[in-house]
Amino acid sequence: MVVGVLKMDLYLPESGSLKSKRFVVKSLKDRLRNKFNVSVAEEANDLWQRVSIFCACISNDVKQIHSTLESVKNMAEKETMAELLDYSVEIT
């Protein structure tokens, strides 16, 4: 078994409160779970315009993990309410 974890740091320029941040983040997390069947979590913080999202997947094939996590990253890049600042992938 191989585990892949993608960490994405996002900037939410139009978020003016924690409530509006939650709306954007929850929507993105739900779409990532539904489309790619990955586990998704966010790092808890009280910053209105910044969030770190972690996505994890498990497979027997490293290429499959790379492909899935790359697709997740591409979807996050296309998000209109958020800007991808940085990302990292760890495979163990």
Side-chain angles (χ1 to χ4, degrees), residues 7-22:
K7 178 188 179 198
M8 298 182 289
D9 294 320
L10 300 171
Y11 172 62
L12 312 169
E14 296 179 20
S15 177
S17 67
L18 289 176
K19 186 175 181 178
S20 63
K21 173 187 170 181
R22 274 195 312 270

Side-chain angles (χ1 to χ4, degrees), residues 17-92:
S17 67
L18 289 176
K19 186 175 181 178
S20 63
K21 173 187 170 181
R22 274 195 312 270
F23 176 77
V24 173
V25 173
K26 183 178 180 343
S27 172
L28 178 60
K29 287 170 43 179
D30 289 345
R31 285 184 282 132
L32 292 173
R33 279 188 197 108
N34 292 334
K35 183 162 182 145
F36 300 108
N37 194 27
V38 294
S39 296
V40 183
E42 69 177 281
E43 185 174 29
N45 62 35
D46 291 333
L47 301 174
W48 294 357
Q49 295 182 326
R50 295 288 299 263
V51 66
S52 294
I53 295 181
F54 296 85
C55 299
C57 63
I58 299 173
S59 177
N60 290 331
D61 185 10
V62 175
K63 290 180 184 179
Q64 175 67 31
I65 290 177
H66 276 291
S67 174
T68 300
L69 295 179
E70 182 70 22
S71 297
V72 168
K73 179 190 72 81
N74 290 340
M75 185 174 180
E77 283 182 323
K78 293 177 184 172
E79 175 62 43
T80 59
M81 300 292 288
E83 181 181 323
L84 182 63
L85 297 176
D86 193 20
Y87 73 94
S88 62
V89 176
E90 183 178 326
I91 296 181
T92 57

